[in-house]
Amino acid sequence: MGLVKKLFNNGKIYTMNHSEDTYVGVIVNDGTIESLLTQDDLNEININDFEVIDLNEGTMFPGFVETHIHVLGTGVWLSSVILNGETNIEVVKDKIKQKAEQLEPGEWLVAEGYDENLLHGIRLDKNDLDELCKDNPVIIKRVCRHAAIVNTKALKILDVKDDVDNPVGGSYEKQDGELTGWIYDTAMEPFEELASNEDEQSLTKHLQNAIDYLYQFGITGSHTEDLGYYEDYKDVLNAYKTVVGGEDHQRPFRVRLLRHFSVYEQMMDEQATFVDGWLEPDAMKFYADGAFGGSTALLKEPYSNDPAGENYGLSIYTQEELNEKVQLARKYNGAIAVHMIGDKACEMVLDAIEKYPAPKGLRDRLIHISTLNEELLKRVSKLPVICDVQPQFITSDFPWVQDKVGDQRARYLYPFKSMLDLNIIIGGGSDAPIETPNPMLGVHAAVNRQSYGENGAYFIEEAISIFDAMSLYTTQASEIAQTTDRTGKIKPGYEADFTVLDKDPFETDPKELANIQAIKTIVNGKIVYERE
């Protein structure tokens, strides 16, 4: 006897063909959508022939996919001292102090999500960390992960002294010639490497925790960047192969793995293998600049709030070096995926890919692409590129980022409507653990361009419709993956990946979109999460 077909009903089902295209039932056969049912269709079938899954009057969408996230990094974040969203410096200090008391000798204290913008501008330094934890090395990562604070013990372990020179693509902050403990971009790497101390077993556990966490937000898959960290890429890849897949002991979750340039060539030469339908290889990833938080995003003109008018941000590479990175991917007939926040970084990347175009049929991936202008928008629209955007950056960056770039440049921060009007493909992500990996928070930000409960909006002319915002995590994510023949819509023959919400976004006050929650997450026809 074959598998019993599943019938999902008692809810409203949006196919995402357009906002009016709805059904009342879906039949799934062995992980694939077989048919969609109207009320008349439902009345005519014998439901006893099916395993019936009650949607509890929820609203079903194609499974949400995050196009830019660090899945493994999110798992590691879940095990660290979490400072995201903290607004009281005493609470921050107390969390660090409590963790310090639990550590073994020599063990690193790792904290994530520090944000001085939520702490009235208070910036802890190495002396503060020495008071809180003097016997163990400490690294406190800023929320953007492009800056961190380390204590004296950490500096001593790496033999970093006050006379240290800045590395290429990074910097050590000094005051009156003395290190403050603040480190930026590539200067963070040796500290992070020592602090991470993970192996395949621990990475497997982090990955299980991360996927279980993502399921709660209706996420059925993600495009992630984890290869190139945690020492050996094989540990990471093996952890994914252990955790993700269609077997009973695995978690069904669709993954596209970006490959960091530092391991890309090795992975290609060693012919690293993946898992069809679950674990797919993606582009070669590298960084062009830093981030706004540490004023290291690379701008064409100086930062507006820099008194000396000399800070343009940080260029990780020269144009020549950046061109070489692109050529490395092209050597293996591959596409690139580039982190770029500032307008100058964007310009440099576009120069490189115009000079060395993507192989036919492939599209380069522009990550964040935060600061644009009319000229850059036009250039992007003419290239075979896809863009990973983070709508929640609107709510976490404004209003302070406006002081850094000025009103004129701020007008083209996260210009999603302009991008869609030019038919630029944009997919939604959270960059978790930078932001909470909840697509409905992203939908809220893209539609309202404001934080939940706020009045006013940040450049409302760039707000997009609810349908377009939902598309960022469904049809547009499918465009980015180039899997439009099987994902992104609820359609016969497509993968049975669904997200069921407690409210209908199209019938909800737009100001309340952030409160909509996932009540069921279904991957390959299997319920992987149900809200109690």
Side-chain angles (χ1 to χ4, degrees), residues 7-8 57 71 108 119 135 158 181 261 263 281 283 338 368 370 391 410 436 450 456 471 495 523:
L7 168 64
F8 295 84
E57 300 183 349
V71 175
W108 280 75
L119 296 164
D135 295 327
L158 278 143
F261 79 89
V263 296
V338 197
H368 310 311
S370 305
T436 304
Q450 62 177 198
S471 298
E495 293 168 354
V523 187

Side-chain angles (χ1 to χ4, degrees), residues 451-469:
S451 295
Y452 176 70
E454 275 190 359
N455 293 316
Y458 304 112
F459 300 99
I460 194 67
E461 56 267 45
E462 290 296 344
I464 61 176
S465 70
I466 294 173
F467 182 79
D468 284 342

Side-chain angles (χ1 to χ4, degrees), residues 33-145:
I33 298 166
E34 185 174 283
S35 57
L36 295 162
L37 307 176
T38 64
Q39 189 59 54
D40 288 343
D41 297 329
L42 197 58
N43 294 340
E44 288 176 11
I45 65 170
N46 183 354
I47 64 169
N48 294 323
D49 293 338
F50 301 91
E51 178 188 342
V52 179
I53 289 129
D54 188 346
L55 298 178
N56 305 114
E57 300 183 349
T59 307
M60 178 188 270
F61 285 89
F64 288 164
V65 172
E66 283 243 346
T67 61
H68 185 72
I69 187 174
H70 305 267
V71 175
L72 202 43
T74 298
V76 173
W77 169 79
L78 287 167
S79 70
S80 72
V81 179
I82 298 173
L83 303 177
N84 299 67
E86 290 295 349
T87 57
N88 184 325
I89 194 65
E90 294 308 318
V91 173
V92 168
K93 288 180 177 179
D94 195 47
K95 281 189 170 186
I96 296 167
K97 197 171 181 179
Q98 281 185 31
K99 183 66 174 180
E101 290 166 0
Q102 301 165 11
L103 297 174
E104 299 290 329
E107 189 180 353
W108 280 75
L109 189 157
V110 179
E112 296 264 10
Y114 183 89
D115 188 352
E116 72 280 4
N117 293 302
L118 300 178
L119 296 164
H120 309 290
I122 295 171
R123 296 172 86 247
L124 298 178
D125 60 23
K126 69 175 182 183
N127 299 321
D128 296 310
L129 299 189
D130 290 346
E131 280 184 35
L132 298 167
C133 180
K134 67 180 170 194
D135 295 327
N136 292 74
V138 179
I139 180 167
I140 311 290
K141 299 178 191 178
R142 196 187 176 282
V143 65
C144 63
R145 281 189 157 191

Side-chain angles (χ1 to χ4, degrees), residues 283-319:
M284 186 189 89
K285 164 77 186 286
F286 61 96
Y287 292 78
D289 65 346
F292 281 129
S295 297
T296 54
L298 187 64
L299 300 175
K300 286 166 68 73
E301 300 296 331
Y303 277 79
S304 299
N305 64 345
D306 177 33
E310 294 173 357
N311 182 23
Y312 290 79
L314 193 67
S315 177
I316 305 287
Y317 303 108
T318 63
Q319 185 68 58

Side-chain angles (χ1 to χ4, degrees), residues 65-69 222-225 256-258 280-286 330 335-340 349 353 358 362-369 384-390 425 427-428 476-482:
V65 172
E66 283 243 346
T67 61
H68 185 72
I69 187 174
S222 64
H223 304 183
T224 180
E225 196 228 333
R256 297 194 72 83
L257 279 170
L258 300 180
E280 306 276 3
D282 210 293
M284 186 189 89
K285 164 77 186 286
F286 61 96
R330 305 304 191 232
I336 58 166
V338 197
H339 163 113
M340 41 199 263
V349 172
I353 61 181
L362 293 185
R363 298 186 288 210
D364 290 322
R365 186 186 285 249
L366 311 181
I367 298 171
H368 310 311
I369 190 164
V385 295
I386 48 184
C387 300
D388 296 342
V389 301
Q390 292 69 45
I425 298 165
Q476 291 272 316
S478 178
E479 286 277 2
I480 283 183
Q482 293 187 283

Side-chain angles (χ1 to χ4, degrees), residues 152-338:
T152 300
K153 185 94 173 174
L155 291 165
K156 278 184 178 170
I157 287 172
L158 278 143
D159 198 29
V160 175
K161 298 173 181 170
D162 290 338
D163 60 357
V164 66
D165 291 328
N166 287 333
V168 174
S171 63
Y172 296 94
E173 184 181 87
K174 296 178 186 179
Q175 206 164 23
D176 300 324
E178 184 184 333
L179 291 166
T180 66
W182 277 85
I183 53 179
Y184 297 90
D185 290 290
T186 58
M188 296 167 59
E189 290 172 4
F191 294 92
E192 289 181 300
E193 197 172 310
L194 274 182
S196 65
N197 194 27
E198 304 283 356
D199 58 20
E200 187 181 326
Q201 188 177 359
S202 66
L203 292 171
T204 298
K205 186 180 174 187
H206 290 318
L207 194 53
Q208 290 168 336
N209 292 339
I211 292 173
D212 289 344
Y213 176 65
L214 297 176
Y215 282 155
Q216 298 173 49
F217 301 108
I219 297 170
T220 62
S222 64
H223 304 183
T224 180
E225 196 228 333
D226 298 306
L227 294 164
Y229 309 96
Y230 316 109
E231 296 193 31
D232 191 341
Y233 85 80
K234 293 187 188 73
D235 288 345
V236 176
L237 194 53
N238 288 339
Y240 268 102
K241 288 178 178 178
T242 299
V243 175
V244 171
E247 302 296 323
D248 287 343
H249 65 280
Q250 293 176 308
R251 285 159 175 75
F253 194 70
R254 316 279 183 187
V255 181
R256 297 194 72 83
L257 279 170
L258 300 180
R259 292 162 287 179
H260 193 268
F261 79 89
S262 62
V263 296
Y264 181 78
E265 199 161 17
Q266 182 188 356
M267 292 183 74
M268 297 301 277
D269 291 346
E270 292 177 356
Q271 298 182 322
T273 59
F274 299 84
V275 183
D276 287 349
W278 296 111
L279 206 56
E280 306 276 3
D282 210 293
M284 186 189 89
K285 164 77 186 286
F286 61 96
Y287 292 78
D289 65 346
F292 281 129
S295 297
T296 54
L298 187 64
L299 300 175
K300 286 166 68 73
E301 300 296 331
Y303 277 79
S304 299
N305 64 345
D306 177 33
E310 294 173 357
N311 182 23
Y312 290 79
L314 193 67
S315 177
I316 305 287
Y317 303 108
T318 63
Q319 185 68 58
E320 188 180 340
E321 290 167 336
L322 201 151
N323 291 353
E324 287 170 4
K325 287 282 177 291
V326 177
Q327 287 174 285
L328 172 60
R330 305 304 191 232
K331 174 184 168 185
Y332 292 95
N333 207 35
I336 58 166
V338 197

